[in-house]
Amino acid sequence: DVKVTQSSRYLVKRTGEKVFLECVQDMDHENMFWYRQDPGLGLRLIYFSYDVKMKEKGDIPEGYSVSREKKERFSLILESASTNQTSMYLCASRGRTYQPQHFGDGTRLSIL
Amino acid sequence: AQKVTQAQTEISVVEKEDVTLDCVYETRDTTYYLFWYKQPPSGELVFLIRRNSFDEQNEISGRYSWNFQKSTSSFNFTITASQVVDSAVYFCALSPPNTGNQFYFGTGTSLTVIP
């Protein structure tokens, strides 16, 4: 079974802090994704990566950056956290085209 | 444009009733895949089914069944004899080619099964 592990289930940070969300997958998948989920808005893609050191902006990249130094790890960075970034963050990975995305358990991030 | 619409925001049914969750998609591609995911209260999204655009056969898995109709761009999901454990948010997603492996998710349907 594919395992996607997110470093924290719950996280509380303060406005202006630099926040790191980590995601690790164990299936040697090329593609990894970061989404945020908000009530009534569904899942919105922040960034995705199709290879090591490669990244593409999704629908809502503003205020975020990502890092993929190793194939199994994809990090989401909030450069200067703001209260409107309080949300559920979901990481996913995917192998070859047309395979499903596999999701981690999610991180509920609160910015105070 | 790629788009998935799940018009039903919330549905409540009494246990053992059947329920259908609607999914309508838009794409200009002739080759694509459609997916359904379940998100229980614990939060993780669980993959349920994948269907490719060339296969319009309906699929049944236990109490779950899926009806794919290319003519109406719909991929509906029916739960027969619903159970409390079916309570979750259900997402439909579209994966066309040449989009960097992106998925296009609907906004989800929250299903509550009342005992």
Side-chain angles (χ1 to χ4, degrees):
Chain A
D1 278 355
V2 177
K3 184 68 176 174
V4 179
T5 303
Q6 294 185 229
S7 52
S8 306
R9 287 302 301 270
Y10 300 94
L11 204 55
V12 180
K13 296 291 183 180
R14 296 213 172 271
T15 304
E17 281 191 64
K18 192 169 186 176
V19 181
F20 293 85
L21 302 183
E22 307 287 345
C23 176
V24 177
Q25 50 98 0
D26 66 356
M27 283 301 292
D28 203 36
H29 283 168
E30 292 81 8
N31 304 288
M32 296 188 74
F33 307 82
W34 275 106
Y35 296 88
R36 66 176 280 177
Q37 182 180 10
D38 300 289
L41 298 178
L43 277 72
R44 293 182 292 167
L45 182 64
I46 305 171
Y47 268 97
F48 68 97
S49 169
Y50 53 90
D51 203 349
V52 175
K53 296 190 185 295
M54 307 303 289
K55 60 185 180 184
E56 292 280 347
K57 292 180 179 179
D59 301 318
I60 53 165
E62 297 77 19
Y64 303 94
S65 63
V66 290
S67 172
R68 191 153 180 217
E69 297 295 319
K70 294 184 178 181
K71 193 174 186 179
E72 67 271 17
R73 186 181 296 271
F74 192 35
S75 303
L76 179 69
I77 303 156
L78 285 65
E79 297 290 346
S80 179
S82 63
T83 54
N84 63 11
Q85 292 178 309
T86 292
S87 187
M88 167 74 119
Y89 289 87
L90 291 159
C91 175
S93 74
R94 185 188 197 190
R96 288 174 289 178
T97 305
Y98 303 134
Q99 289 185 349
Q101 290 188 11
H102 297 272
F103 285 82
D105 290 342
T107 297
R108 288 200 179 274
L109 176 63
S110 296
I111 306 296
L112 305 178
Chain B
Q2 321 284 358
K3 187 179 178 181
V4 174
T5 301
Q6 295 180 254
Q8 304 152 307
T9 306
E10 296 180 0
I11 301 176
S12 292
V13 298
V14 176
E15 201 171 20
K16 297 184 183 176
E17 286 185 347
D18 300 345
V19 58
T20 295
L21 309 182
D22 297 332
C23 173
V24 175
Y25 62 93
E26 296 175 30
T27 181
R28 292 182 180 175
D29 295 294
T30 55
T31 302
Y32 51 88
Y33 274 74
L34 296 163
F35 298 81
W36 275 95
Y37 285 83
K38 174 182 180 179
Q39 186 180 38
S42 51
E44 78 282 12
L45 268 80
V46 177
F47 163 66
L48 294 178
I49 190 172
R50 176 187 66 184
R51 171 65 70 213
N52 78 57
S53 53
F54 296 106
D55 182 2
E56 290 195 65
Q57 270 193 318
N58 291 332
E59 181 150 346
I60 299 174
S61 176
R63 297 183 297 105
Y64 294 173
S65 62
W66 290 269
N67 184 328
F68 175 35
Q69 292 198 337
K70 214 166 177 179
S71 60
T72 56
S73 296
S74 65
F75 185 41
N76 296 337
F77 174 28
T78 297
I79 302 174
T80 303
S82 59
Q83 299 177 3
V84 172
V85 293
D86 297 326
S87 296
V89 180
Y90 291 87
F91 290 95
C92 180
L94 166 69
S95 178
N98 304 321
T99 58
N101 277 306
Q102 284 193 56
F103 272 33
Y104 295 87
F105 283 90
T107 51
T109 298
S110 178
L111 173 66
T112 300
V113 180
I114 303 165

